[in-house]
Amino acid sequence: MKRGPDRRLAEAWDRAGLRGPLRESVLEPFLAGVLADDRQESSDTFVRLLVRSFALGAPGVPAAGIGALPAQLADTARRAGAGIRLSHRVTATRRHGRGWRVEVDGADAIESRDVVVATGLTPGLDVPLPRARGLQTWWFATDERHNDDAALRVDGLRRGPIVHTAIVSNTAPTYAPRGQHLVEATVVLPSEATEADVRRQLTELWGTDARPWRLLRRDDIAAALPAQDPPLRLRRPVRLGDGRYVAGDHRDTASIQGALVSGQRAAEAVLQGRGQR
Ligand SMILES: Cc1cc2nc3c(=O)[nH]c(=O)nc-3n(C[C@H](O)[C@H](O)[C@H](O)COP(=O)(O)OP(=O)(O)OC[C@H]3O[C@@H](n4cnc5c(N)ncnc54)[C@H](O)[C@@H]3O)c2cc1C
């Protein structure tokens, strides 16, 4: 962990003398897509942690899609006796005797001794949330395999709204429609990018005409990640102080890893709370 005061990334890089093509053509667009921050406002300390993970780890995606991760957690929980109901939107949590009443849209309320709110950055359940940052991902299918490059491509010349693009099916062939190839293009929100802007930049980045590619979908995720402003506060409290608990990446680091760690901390806090009753 870095010692000394934390700063905005742009300021920390200025002070470190980091400038030129490495900064402008590689680090800025790459990190913009990872942090959903195109202005280098994020915490330098957080970015150091992140870059360390990239340097030590091997990036990848589950063959069955990212849903494989919660499915695996759910299997373990069910085997331990947990009941899981999907597609039930919680509208409120209210004090009820010595426990809680969890109100569910279109279904009976659930009474419970403890409640852990793990609803991401969605407001509405009276939980303090940090500012969110957004990402937009465009998904295209192509008939031709333009190359076998599995690397993420960034635009060092910043010729358009795309901060990175990849032929995802070169890493995960199961993600593409049958017999086709899948290309993603990521843009930081807010953005006024049009489909024509995106196709134009993809043509430049891949050196092949992207106009015939089939647009499969566009995901606009306004609350993709919690802002990681300096000074970085790792390990925010998971106890809400009103008898409820909270889990999510906004309690630890803005990542799947952070969300998992916060879940473990919330579970430990619940058990500790029960032990004290
Ligand atoms: C495009 C994109 C790419 C990313 N890539 C990576 C990556 O490569 N690596 C990485 O580590 N992180 C990545 N992230 C970030 C990662 O997805 C998040 O950090 C992580 O999902 C946060 O987990 P969470 O449990 O806090 O919240 P979420 O994953 O948002 O889960 C919250 C859940 O609560 C549900 N919910 C919300 N409101 C209610 C309600 N009222 N009632 C019931 N349920 C509700 C939601 O439907 C959701 O399922 C990416 C994010 C995006 C958007």
Side-chain angles (χ1 to χ4, degrees), residues 135-147:
L135 291 172
Q136 178 180 74
T137 311
W138 298 72
W139 298 97
F140 294 91
T142 80
D143 292 331
E144 277 170 62
R145 190 177 198 202
H146 299 287
N147 62 51

Side-chain angles (χ1 to χ4, degrees), residues 88-90 118-120 122 125 135 137 221 224-225 248-249 254-256 259:
H88 283 63
R89 194 172 71 84
V90 174
T119 48
T122 317
L125 291 180
L135 291 172
T137 311
I221 306 182
L225 290 163
D249 59 357
S255 63
I256 295 170

Side-chain angles (χ1 to χ4, degrees), residues 250-261:
H250 54 94
R251 299 290 99 192
D252 284 80
T253 51
S255 63
I256 295 170
Q257 160 77 9
L260 290 169
V261 170

Side-chain angles (χ1 to χ4, degrees), residues 8-11 28 32 36-42 133 188:
R8 292 171 64 240
L9 194 54
E11 196 191 329
E28 285 185 2
D37 169 14
D38 208 2
R39 301 171 63 167
Q40 296 81 50
E41 290 172 342
S42 301
R133 293 189 179 280
V188 176

Side-chain angles (χ1 to χ4, degrees), residues 2 23 29 63 81 87 99-100 118 138 143 146 150 164 195 200 206 214-215 227 239 259-260 265:
K2 178 178 165 272
R23 172 170 173 171
S87 305
W100 290 88
W138 298 72
D143 292 331
H146 299 287
H164 67 68
E195 188 176 328
R200 199 175 309 117
W206 291 107
R214 187 159 61 95
L215 177 62
R239 222 182 272 273
L260 290 169
R265 289 205 294 126

